């Protein structure tokens, strides 16, 4: 299954790097990061990823929040 994770960085923190996201995905075990886009607007970054289990996305989002991002929103894709 696929998902999009929207991230918003806490003021004073930099948005997490693509390399750091790849490492966090390995820690979440099942998650593969497909793309990372940094953007201007309500959210600072958009991550597209895939995994076999829903709870893998939850673990990955939790790891992201612990790295200084205070808000994540996970959107599960319907295929």
């Amino acid at each position: 299954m696929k998902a999009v994770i929207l991230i918003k960085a806490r003021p004073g923190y930099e948005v997490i790097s693509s390399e750091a996201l790849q490492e966090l995905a390995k820690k979440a075990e099942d998650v593969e990061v497909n793309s990372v886009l940094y953007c201007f607007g309500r959210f600072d970054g958009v991550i597209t990823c895939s995994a076999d289990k829903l709870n893998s996305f939850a673990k990955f989002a939790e790891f992201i929040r612990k790295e200084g991002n205070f808000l994540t929103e996970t959107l599960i894709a319907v295929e």
Side-chain angles (χ1 to χ4, degrees):
M1 74 184 57
K2 295 180 182 180
V4 174
I5 300 177
L6 306 172
I7 58 173
K8 184 169 184 173
R10 183 180 310 175
Y13 286 81
E14 292 187 18
V15 178
I16 193 165
S17 71
S18 297
E19 294 80 18
L21 285 169
Q22 296 291 349
E23 290 301 314
L24 292 176
K26 289 178 189 173
K27 284 176 59 177
E29 299 165 6
D30 182 33
V31 177
E32 178 184 340
V33 174
N34 300 321
S35 68
V36 178
L37 301 169
Y38 298 101
C39 46
F40 296 103
R42 195 170 110 206
F43 291 94
D44 298 311
V46 177
I47 304 164
T48 59
C49 52
S50 55
D52 292 331
K53 300 177 188 173
L54 267 178
N55 67 344
S56 297
F57 295 128
K59 284 183 191 178
F60 184 45
E62 181 66 27
F63 289 142
I64 293 169
R65 286 191 295 272
K66 288 181 180 177
E67 290 294 317
N69 293 286
F70 77 98
L71 178 66
T72 63
E73 187 173 335
T74 304
L75 309 171
I76 306 301
V78 179
E79 298 184 75

